[in-house]
Amino acid sequence: MHLGWPALRSTSRAPGPGGRPDSPTLVDRFGRTATDLRVSLTDRCNLRCTYCMPAEGMDWLPTSALLTAGELSRLIRVAVELLGITEVRFTGGEPLLRRDLEQIVAATAGLLPRPSVSLTTNGLGLTRRVDGLVAAGLDRINVSLDTLRPDRFRTISRRDRLDDVLAGLAAARTAGLEPVKVNAVLLRGVNDDEVGALLDFCLAHGYQLRFIEQMPLDPQHGWDRTAMITAEEILAALRTTHRLTPDPSERGSAPAERWVVDDGPGVVGVIASVTRPFCATCDRTRLTADGQLRTCLFARSETDLRGALRAGASDEELAELWRGAMWGKAAGHGITEAGFTQPDRPMSAIGG
């Protein structure tokens, strides 16, 4: 558990790039197959959350570096039709800042075999666009919400937009994107006393809450494990007011461990990437907004699909680049290992 890659499945496949099996799918040396594609649509965001970026923002990617809607759709098509991807999640930055988001969602939902299509967002502007996104084929949505208090929302996000987030959540549920999932990051001494309040709010409104351990993906490189609220602390706080029992449903490759609350039907999840890593069952592959392929959130290297695409690579050539990169995926993120180095790119540039 402490290395970040518990209980890896054994495999008879030969190690190293030369030993990659003749398979069209995104297999790696540790018996995993990637079927879930995370696509960052932009590195920009209209919030300035303290654990994500500085108050002044960052040096954003130039427009010319970003993948166009057509380029994104082509790479997603390659992933689905040639590489066996079955789930596509759009992230950012803030994906709602892409004016062509509905076009990208529709192109993805129109693929055969049809992948599931989801979105992770901060919820700002969702009330105006959720109906169009559902019409385009969006299946699910995750909305970030770290506090229910306006003053704390301003402190954490440096913006006075809590009402807009709450309205976006309600609009998503009205539009039929159920279950609406809520992502919450707890910060010690800031909002860690809202564990029960956030759960009660989500239970009352029919949302599914996920607490996420804060990860070392901030641009300031100021993450401190001792300041992080751990899964054990979160669960201990929840158990002071609610009865939790392990969710009997199969977890599979889902990042969240889930518990049934007070005999149901409500559930709560904890994504404990740091203290309870789930690298052994990871099924994700990641595409940044500027067309770089990443095998892990914490990878120190990338594969340039944009360059190959713009140089005229065929679909099969792009697919083979992808397969080769995923074959070299590391066993785990190694956050707790001595010598761990945080990736140069922050979360907003990688995509969650």
Side-chain angles (χ1 to χ4, degrees):
M1 284 291 286
H2 301 293
L3 295 178
W5 46 88
L8 285 170
R9 296 189 295 273
S10 62
T11 175
S12 60
R13 296 168 181 146
R20 181 163 57 87
D22 184 17
S23 169
T25 59
L26 295 172
V27 297
D28 68 26
R29 295 168 294 164
F30 303 97
R32 300 168 297 197
T33 301
T35 57
D36 183 341
L37 171 60
R38 305 295 173 95
V39 182
S40 174
L41 297 179
T42 178
D43 60 332
R44 297 174 183 263
C45 188
N46 42 11
L47 296 180
R48 296 290 183 270
C49 295
T50 56
Y51 56 83
C52 190
M53 65 178 64
E56 64 276 12
M58 297 186 295
D59 293 329
W60 309 120
L61 291 167
T63 301
S64 61
L66 298 177
L67 294 175
T68 66
E71 290 171 333
L72 280 162
S73 296
R74 182 182 173 197
L75 289 175
I76 294 168
R77 178 176 57 78
V78 167
V80 171
E81 294 181 354
L82 300 183
L83 299 173
I85 290 296
T86 60
E87 300 178 55
V88 178
R89 175 175 294 186
F90 295 110
T91 68
E94 174 45 52
L96 290 178
L97 294 180
R98 288 281 302 230
R99 295 182 179 179
D100 52 7
L101 177 58
E102 289 83 355
Q103 174 187 344
I104 297 167
V105 168
T108 303
L111 294 171
L112 293 175
R114 186 194 191 283
S116 67
V117 185
S118 58
L119 179 73
T120 297
T121 173
N122 62 27
L124 303 188
L126 191 56
T127 54
R128 299 190 303 274
R129 300 184 68 177
V130 68
D131 290 336
L133 289 168
V134 171
L138 186 67
D139 298 311
R140 296 187 298 104
I141 198 163
N142 287 42
V143 179
S144 298
L145 177 66
D146 299 328
T147 179
L148 297 169
R149 289 177 45 171
D151 58 329
R152 287 183 175 172
F153 191 91
R154 287 192 297 271
T155 297
I156 294 171
S157 71
R158 303 185 178 104
R159 298 291 187 270
D160 190 12
R161 303 293 298 274
L162 176 59
D163 287 345
D164 295 317
V165 178
L166 298 179
L169 278 166
R173 187 179 181 198
T174 299
L177 292 174
E178 295 188 283
V180 175
K181 294 183 180 180
V182 172
N183 295 339
V185 175
L186 297 177
L187 306 172
R188 194 174 301 279
V190 178
N191 64 338
D192 51 331
D193 60 345
E194 288 190 75
V195 173
L198 283 164
L199 178 57
D200 290 341
F201 169 80
C202 289
L203 293 173
H205 290 84
Y207 308 142
Q208 287 192 8
L209 178 61
R210 300 287 186 274
F211 289 106
I212 303 175
E213 286 184 341
Q214 186 185 1
M215 293 178 281
L217 288 166
D218 59 304
Q220 305 95 322
H221 288 210
W223 180 83
D224 180 357
R225 176 167 179 148
T226 62
M228 181 190 72
I229 308 295
T230 68
E232 284 301 325
E233 291 177 278
I234 294 167
L235 292 170
L238 289 172
R239 288 186 174 114
T240 63
T241 54
H242 293 280
R243 184 170 61 260
L244 304 181
T245 54
D247 189 339
S249 61
E250 181 68 30
R251 179 181 178 183
S253 59
E257 292 183 76
R258 304 202 322 167
W259 284 265
V260 177
V261 182
D262 298 331
D263 298 325
V267 296
V268 64
V270 178
I271 299 177
S273 301
V274 178
T275 64
R276 300 183 182 185
F278 41 88
C279 302
T281 57
C282 179
D283 65 349
R284 283 167 288 288
T285 181
R286 300 175 182 277
L287 184 64
T288 67
D290 57 346
Q292 305 305 302
L293 172 65
R294 297 180 64 89
T295 59
C296 174
L297 269 175
F298 300 95
R300 298 289 301 170
S301 61
E302 300 176 334
T303 300
D304 183 12
L305 294 185
R306 183 194 65 195
L309 186 156
R310 293 182 179 178
S314 67
D315 286 355
E316 183 53 41
E317 287 171 333
L318 292 169
E320 191 60 16
L321 270 176
W322 211 319
R323 294 185 190 109
M326 294 304 293
W327 179 245
K329 181 173 180 172
H333 55 51
I335 290 176
T336 57
E337 282 211 298
F340 169 78
T341 303
Q342 183 174 329
D344 294 330
R345 291 215 205 203
M347 174 71 88
S348 62
I350 295 171

